[in-house]
């Protein structure tokens, strides 16, 4: 979600003080209602159970398009069922009541370069121990120099592992598309992702590849791009297996 500036206006000096007090009271009331509806920063922090700090990072698939919470809900529930504790972190906050921690860093419509432009600040603010990165879908959908997407991913990995050198970064390829043209573009990008990850791992960076594309089929998509509930559950299974083999041990 991108910030926007609110318009302002000036009125005559006479009566401005009274109107200002009334407007201030109204704004305070509206702000309080918004805090209750959307969750204040304090509320999000209070959801933490003090466990592994995980940043779900990406685009609308991380945000949870079509299915509120996306893969974050079944991932959190599975960890809780196994007695594992986690603290999702990020500047975004949404999801259903059954998701025990609503923080994340999923930004609908964003490409690799757009996430890269903000990542250092997000990492410094959140201090994750693990990062789950699923990105590149919008590069494919927007046909944004798909041939250069692996290079942009490599730069993003560099920036994440430089800003958070002690964190484990889990990088997946992207889920399938129903459209054959989009799927062809995705195949070229996905084919390069393991090599990009391996190159940084060989330099001692804490980065790991998680195969996600083959976890889902087109029958697991709600709209040809985004997973349905079953597809998100399959994504959660892959993330859970990766985390269980590393930081949670």
């Amino acid at each position: 979600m991108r910030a926007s500036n609110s318009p302002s206006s000036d009125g005559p000096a006479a009566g401005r003080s009274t109107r200002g007090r009334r407007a201030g009271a109204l704004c305070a009331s509206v702000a309080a209602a918004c805090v209750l509806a959307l969750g204040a920063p304090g509320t999000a922090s209070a959801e933490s159970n003090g466990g592994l700090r995980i940043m779900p990072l990406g685009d609308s698939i991380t945000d949870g398009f079509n299915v509120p919470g996306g893969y974050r809900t079944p991932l959190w529930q599975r960890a809780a069922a196994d007695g594992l504790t986690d603290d999702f972190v990020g500047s975004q906050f949404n999801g259903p009541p059954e998701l025990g921690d609503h923080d994340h860093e999923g930004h609908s419509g964003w490409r690799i370069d757009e996430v890269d432009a903000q990542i250092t600040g997000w990492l410094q603010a959140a201090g994750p121990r693990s990062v789950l990165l699923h990105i590149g879908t919008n590069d494919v959908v927007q046909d944004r120099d798909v041939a250069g997407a692996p290079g942009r991913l490599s730069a993003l990995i560099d920036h994440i592992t430089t800003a958070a050198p002690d964190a484990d970064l889990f990088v997946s390829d992207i889920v399938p598309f129903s459209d054959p043209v989009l799927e062809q573009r995705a195949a070229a990008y996905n084919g390069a992702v393991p090599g990009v990850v391996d190159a940084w791992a060989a330099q001692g960076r804490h980065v790991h590849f998680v195969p996600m594309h083959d976890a889902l089929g087109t029958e697991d998509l709600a709209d040809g791009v985004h997973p349905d509930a079953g597809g998100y559950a399959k994504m959660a299974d892959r993330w859970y297996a990766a985390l269980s083999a590393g930081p949670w041990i």
Side-chain angles (χ1 to χ4, degrees):
M1 183 179 298
R2 304 181 189 269
S4 60
N5 294 324
S6 299
S8 60
S9 60
D10 295 322
R16 184 181 298 164
S17 176
T18 299
R19 287 197 301 274
R21 287 194 297 270
R22 290 174 178 169
L26 176 60
C27 287
S29 176
V30 170
C34 289
V35 164
L36 290 174
L38 300 179
T43 303
S45 177
E47 289 184 324
S48 169
N49 56 20
L52 181 68
R53 294 177 66 80
I54 302 171
M55 175 182 281
L57 174 63
D59 48 41
S60 57
I61 293 176
T62 297
D63 178 81
F65 189 82
N66 286 323
V67 180
Y71 71 74
R72 294 179 285 119
T73 303
L75 176 59
W76 188 90
Q77 291 178 325
R78 183 165 178 184
D82 286 349
L84 297 171
T85 56
D86 55 69
D87 176 11
F88 286 169
V89 298
S91 65
Q92 305 300 292
F93 181 90
N94 60 31
E98 58 268 26
L99 171 57
D101 190 335
H102 296 78
D103 301 324
H104 67 95
E105 205 63 81
H107 298 265
S108 293
W110 284 35
R111 303 182 307 266
I112 297 168
D113 60 310
E114 294 173 305
V115 170
D116 195 13
Q118 303 291 329
I119 190 59
T120 299
W122 293 335
L123 291 169
Q124 290 174 344
R129 172 63 180 81
S130 296
V131 178
L132 309 181
L133 177 61
H134 180 279
I135 194 68
T137 298
N138 291 301
D139 297 73
V140 168
V141 171
Q142 298 172 27
D143 198 13
R144 168 68 164 81
D145 181 24
V146 177
R152 295 192 295 275
L153 176 66
S154 182
L156 175 58
I157 291 173
D158 183 18
H159 297 155
I160 292 173
T161 55
T162 297
D166 296 326
D168 278 285
L169 170 60
F170 297 89
V171 182
S172 76
D173 50 7
I174 58 177
V175 300
F177 294 91
S178 293
D179 184 285
V181 174
L182 296 180
E183 181 63 10
Q184 184 176 19
R185 294 178 195 162
Y189 171 71
N190 281 340
V193 173
V196 170
V197 171
D198 288 346
W200 283 112
Q203 296 186 39
R205 306 291 180 96
H206 299 160
V207 58
H208 319 275
F209 174 67
V210 179
M212 196 66 71
H213 181 272
D214 66 2
L216 285 74
T218 55
E219 69 277 7
D220 298 309
L221 303 178
D223 58 5
V225 176
H226 302 89
D228 58 18
Y232 279 124
K234 291 179 179 179
M235 291 187 71
D237 287 343
R238 289 292 171 97
W239 289 132
Y240 185 81
L243 287 165
S244 297
W248 264 327
I249 294 178

